[in-house]
Amino acid sequence: MRCNIHGDHMVVTPALSEYVENKVSRLEKFDLLTASDECRVTLRVTKKRHTAEMTIPTPGAIFRAEESTEDMYASVDLVIDKLNRQIRKYKNRLENRNRQLLTSPPEAFAEEPAEAQESVVRIKRFEYKPMSVDEAILQMDLLGHNFFVFSNAETNQVSVVYKRNDGGFGLIEPSV
């Protein structure tokens, strides 16, 4: 797994970089993570707090953890422990789902009852910059998402590009 390590308000020493890469290499024991996956690591120091943030995007999920202590090496250890738990939990969930699909009768595939309520599980906030539709499609492909929210540079409106089932792209723009 490749590690992209950068420091925020600090210089990443070769020893610290080697320590992080050594710790991240231990996560490769999970068959979910391949050598082609990239780990993004941000090491930050603010007001005597040493923060380690790691993100591992994979085709099935994005694993992210952040920890802050008074020692950078301790922060890295805690983040690795957190990622280890997340990956193990995700792997167990996949195995349980596959096991359940193999053993359940066909009527288990029926739709859920109408009284089941859906709720917002996660709220994600992000900054967006003005860009053209072509740039937004490129960003969407680079991220591996099915849709991308952006500020359209031509209309100065928030727009959404998405992948259509026929292989093309769609654009959603608000009407004023």
Side-chain angles (χ1 to χ4, degrees), residues 13-116:
T13 63
L16 183 58
S17 179
E18 183 179 331
Y19 184 79
V20 170
E21 288 175 0
N22 184 21
K23 290 290 187 173
V24 169
S25 69
R26 294 182 185 177
L27 294 175
E28 290 179 351
K29 66 183 176 187
F30 296 104
D31 54 344
L32 297 172
L33 305 177
T34 63
S36 64
D37 288 333
E38 180 181 346
C39 176
R40 292 187 299 260
V41 181
T42 302
L43 305 175
R44 185 179 310 114
V45 177
T46 52
K47 294 187 180 180
K48 298 182 183 179
R49 298 298 294 175
H50 297 254
T51 305
E53 175 186 323
M54 292 188 192
T55 305
I56 303 174
T58 63
I62 296 176
F63 301 104
R64 184 186 175 283
E66 182 176 337
E67 279 295 330
S68 184
T69 64
E70 292 182 2
D71 178 38
M72 187 58 75
Y73 290 94
S75 296
V76 169
D77 289 340
L78 290 172
V79 164
I80 292 294
D81 291 343
K82 229 182 215 187
L83 285 171
N84 199 352
R85 283 191 303 272
Q86 286 178 7
I87 295 168
R88 188 174 293 131
K89 184 177 179 180
Y90 181 75
K91 183 177 178 184
N92 288 339
R93 195 175 289 163
L94 285 178
E95 289 172 354
N96 289 341
R97 184 178 303 147
N98 290 340
R99 194 175 309 119
Q100 185 179 15
L101 288 174
L102 290 175
T103 60
S104 62
E107 56 266 8
F109 294 106
E111 293 184 25
E112 293 183 15
E115 58 256 4

Side-chain angles (χ1 to χ4, degrees), residues 8 69 79 131 148 162:
D8 201 11
T69 64
V79 164
M131 62 178 68
F148 188 76
Y162 62 96

Side-chain angles (χ1 to χ4, degrees), residues 106-149:
E107 56 266 8
F109 294 106
E111 293 184 25
E112 293 183 15
E115 58 256 4
Q117 295 181 353
E118 296 181 9
S119 63
V120 176
V121 178
R122 181 177 179 199
I123 296 174
K124 188 170 184 177
R125 300 185 193 288
F126 64 97
E127 293 182 27
Y128 58 92
K129 63 177 187 168
M131 62 178 68
S132 69
V133 175
D134 293 333
E135 287 175 331
I137 291 172
L138 179 64
Q139 285 293 318
M140 178 179 63
D141 285 338
L142 289 174
L143 291 172
H145 292 166
N146 294 327
F147 68 95
F148 188 76
V149 180

Side-chain angles (χ1 to χ4, degrees), residues 147-161:
F147 68 95
F148 188 76
V149 180
F150 68 103
S151 176
N152 194 331
E154 299 165 5
T155 62
N156 291 329
Q157 296 284 331
V158 175
S159 300
V160 178
V161 292

